[in-house]
Amino acid sequence: MPGVIGDFTHGTAELRPRFRLTMGDYVSALEIARDGGVCIAGLGDGRLVGFDLTTGEERFAIAAAHTGSVLDVSISPDGRCFATCGQDEVARVWSAEGSLVRELPGGGSAWVEHVAWAPAGGRIATASGKKLCVWMPDGERIIETEPLASTVTALAWRSDGSGLAATCYGGVHILPFVAGAKIRHLAWKGSLISLAWSPDANVIACGSQDGSVHFWRLKSGQDSQMSGYPFKPKALAWDSESKLLATSGDAAVTVWEFRGKGPEGTQPLQLEGHQGLCTRLAFSPRRAVLASGSQDSSVLLWEPRKHGKPIGFAVLEDEVTGLCWHPEHHTLVGADASGTICGWDVA
């Protein structure tokens, strides 16, 4: 596909797909089960498709799982269920085989736009308009917040499941699940659009509508801002050691180093290769290999601490809309706006 990606491809390994699927519509959500056995895709026409991560063979397909587009998919840690939401007023919980288990109402007229299963598996969070709800797996609603300042834009659980962060205009709200702890508000006079909680639970990073990345060190409450992005940083990703934060907001990927004194006053790494805006970022869970996807349909692999150029590449058919790694080995799955899904083995 000439002209899509740069001249760096000379001498750079092209990823060979283990499987390549055609869904027939925009892939709007993508997640791999913790055991790596299945990947679930949500589509723009409301369908859900589960497929085997080794062979690409379809496990189940659910037509009209939601009205309009599927907006989010979250698989339970034990892999027995998964939760979804879309352009309707309920989230839904499904069995691993694709049978409907129950519905979780949003509690208003707004769509349920976000759903997130806690890492420990005992709670499910949903966001509908300005409201945030937390549920037990049996459908019992244990929390429904008062309306926040504006529509919830992102959700992220603390890595041990003891806290839930939600962003909106005005900052980050953290709901604790520890006896005696209080709700915490990290104030920011602006609209936050993306959220990434570091694996060590020490830092929350957010992309802002004003073209900046804002982050808070939670132990001290110190907050900082990295500005100058030409576009909104909608994609953020931490490496497994919580030392590198990769951010979108341009065709180049900007990576901030959190070792030592952290990113303040330092120059970030600029990873240049995409010709279009970066749309997706995902670090491998096992080593500091970063996958990035772009509007130009390219998927690039990087080792930010070793090389300033890509170490691998692949090309999909359209804008990259999903990237996720197998939780235990080096399989990468990517999806695009035309409905193509590919799985690659990354050495």
Side-chain angles (χ1 to χ4, degrees), residues 123-334:
R123 303 180 181 95
I124 308 167
T126 61
S128 175
K130 299 179 181 181
K131 284 193 174 184
L132 183 63
C133 293
V134 181
W135 312 77
M136 297 302 291
D138 62 4
E140 177 191 0
R141 180 162 43 198
I142 57 174
I143 291 176
E144 181 176 354
T145 65
E146 293 296 319
L148 302 181
S150 68
T151 299
V152 176
T153 54
L155 296 177
W157 285 94
R158 183 182 160 110
S159 55
D160 62 2
S162 65
L164 173 69
T167 54
C168 64
Y169 182 89
V172 184
H173 298 266
I174 303 176
L175 278 64
F177 291 87
V178 177
K182 297 180 179 180
I183 294 176
R184 189 174 179 184
H185 179 213
L186 307 175
W188 172 246
K189 293 182 179 180
S191 182
L192 301 175
I193 58 172
S194 55
L195 170 63
W197 201 330
S198 64
D200 65 8
N202 289 334
V203 181
I204 283 181
C206 298
S208 179
Q209 187 85 11
D210 65 6
S212 68
V213 171
H214 202 82
F215 69 90
W216 288 264
R217 289 184 172 87
L218 297 178
K219 290 181 180 179
S220 65
Q222 177 187 349
D223 61 342
S224 295
Q225 179 183 2
M226 292 91 85
S227 58
Y229 291 84
F231 300 96
K232 303 168 189 176
K234 294 182 178 180
L236 309 172
W238 289 97
D239 77 328
S240 61
E241 296 182 345
S242 304
K243 302 303 183 186
L244 296 175
L245 174 65
T247 63
S248 63
D250 200 352
V253 179
T254 301
V255 182
W256 298 92
E257 174 67 75
F258 276 74
R259 286 190 298 190
K261 295 181 180 180
E264 294 94 337
T266 64
Q267 290 295 317
L269 300 170
Q270 294 288 334
L271 305 179
E272 297 182 354
H274 294 298
Q275 302 300 301
L277 180 67
C278 175
T279 56
R280 291 292 184 272
L281 292 166
F283 267 105
S284 166
R286 294 300 176 188
R287 57 194 180 106
V289 174
L290 174 67
S292 61
S294 170
Q295 285 182 341
D296 64 21
S297 78
S298 64
V299 174
L300 303 180
L301 293 182
W302 315 83
E303 287 185 291
R305 287 212 173 97
K306 295 182 180 179
H307 309 282
K309 293 186 177 181
I311 60 170
F313 77 95
V315 181
L316 296 175
E317 301 298 324
D318 208 330
E319 175 181 335
V320 179
T321 59
L323 283 176
C324 51
W325 291 88
H326 189 289
E328 293 187 353
H329 59 67
H330 304 305
T331 299
L332 174 68
V333 178

Side-chain angles (χ1 to χ4, degrees), residues 62-87:
I62 305 169
H66 289 279
T67 302
S69 178
V70 175
L71 298 177
D72 208 355
V73 172
S74 184
I75 304 175
S76 67
D78 62 11
R80 295 180 181 178
C81 295
F82 63 97
T84 64
C85 59
Q87 292 175 310

